Amino acid sequence: MIIHNLGLDNSVLNQFVLELRDVEIQKDAMRFRRNIERIGEVLGYELSKIINYETKTVNTPLGTKEISVPKNELVLCSILRAGLPLHQGLLNYFDKAENAFISAYRDHTNHDIDFEVIVKYLASPSVQDKTLILADPMLASGKTLENTFNALKTHGRPEQIHIVSVIGSNQGVEYIKNVFPKNTHLWIAAIDEELNDKSYIVPGLGDAGDLSFGLKL
């Protein structure tokens, strides 16, 4: 796996991450969603640099000009519900992408620390020979991304795979290295040191879905 940890470089991206983590600023759900969206835009811009391009000629009022533009067929797949703001940020830049959505959640059957990731809903076009972008803001254990990838296998085999996350854990990154093809790219804004006993990222930022859309039962 090729890892692009953009938080290691000085850029405005780190300001967005700081505000996501801040216990006071993150109380503003609209700002929280917007910061995730902006991070999606930054990560999407960096991702766009390594996809395939072709030259097209555009007619201007005064002549013509050749410009290199992306030619990949993209499928942008987000994990509900936390992935929606990140999806929007990517879609702002990849506005011609096809879209897929999947519902995946942790099932703590006995209300203990062990859990199973359950996939109940998938709406996706074919990903055969296309560029698949998987958007999940929190890469904690990596099991959600694994189950999402397995569910999408029924829709074809993509030519390229890119994973886009806001914050991940070292454990989660190491886990998905063994799940995805070696040429998969991970685009991420920060990687934290550990998971706690409930598989939440520490220091992380809390529950991205709840902070974006409110508490759930």
Side-chain angles (χ1 to χ4, degrees):
M1 179 171 287
I2 302 97
I3 300 172
H4 309 268
N5 184 357
L6 302 185
L8 297 177
D9 300 322
N10 290 331
S11 78
V12 70
L13 175 70
N14 288 334
Q15 178 66 34
F16 304 151
V17 175
L18 179 148
E19 293 184 10
L20 286 178
R21 294 187 191 267
D22 190 293
V23 293
E24 294 301 322
I25 298 175
Q26 66 179 209
K27 292 177 182 178
D28 183 343
M30 183 170 68
R31 186 168 185 84
F32 187 86
R33 292 192 302 271
R34 179 60 181 133
N35 277 324
I36 291 184
E37 182 179 339
R38 293 196 288 185
I39 290 171
E41 292 173 346
V42 173
L43 297 178
Y45 172 75
E46 294 298 325
L47 187 163
S48 75
K49 296 178 180 179
I50 68 166
I51 59 178
N52 299 321
Y53 280 72
E54 62 184 350
T55 301
K56 289 189 175 181
T57 301
V58 61
N59 293 316
T60 81
L62 299 176
T64 61
K65 181 66 177 180
E66 290 188 343
I67 301 178
S68 294
V69 294
K71 72 172 186 177
N72 293 55
E73 291 185 87
L74 303 177
V75 176
L76 173 55
C77 179
S78 291
I79 299 168
L80 300 173
R81 62 183 170 152
L84 291 176
L86 188 60
H87 185 104
Q88 185 60 55
L90 291 163
L91 195 60
N92 289 345
Y93 279 29
F94 300 121
D95 48 14
K96 294 182 180 179
E98 296 179 278
N99 295 269
F101 297 94
I102 189 166
S103 170
Y105 67 93
R106 296 182 180 189
D107 181 26
H108 295 267
T109 304
N110 299 315
H111 302 286
D112 55 18
I113 61 175
D114 295 323
F115 65 90
E116 179 183 1
V117 175
I118 305 296
V119 173
K120 279 199 170 182
Y121 172 84
L122 171 63
S124 174
S126 170
V127 299
Q128 183 66 37
D129 299 324
K130 298 177 183 177
T131 297
L132 174 63
I133 302 175
L134 292 174
D136 188 7
M138 306 301 288
L139 201 178
S141 69
K143 293 180 181 178
T144 298
L145 280 170
E146 178 185 27
N147 284 20
T148 298
F149 183 49
N150 287 336
L152 284 168
K153 287 179 179 178
T154 61
H155 287 63
R157 183 175 181 177
E159 180 181 356
Q160 298 179 24
I161 301 173
H162 298 269
I163 299 169
V164 177
S165 291
V166 177
I167 297 176
S169 70
N170 279 327
Q171 296 96 316
V173 172
E174 289 300 315
Y175 185 85
I176 65 171
K177 283 182 180 179
N178 298 317
V179 172
F180 286 85
K182 290 183 179 180
N183 61 346
T184 299
H185 289 260
L186 170 64
W187 304 86
I188 196 164
I191 299 177
D192 289 352
E193 292 299 320
E194 61 179 318
L195 296 176
N196 64 16
D197 59 0
K198 295 183 178 180
S199 292
Y200 284 104
I201 302 170
V202 179
L205 52 75
D207 190 301
D210 287 354
L211 289 167
S212 292
F213 301 110
L215 297 176
K216 58 186 178 296
L217 292 177

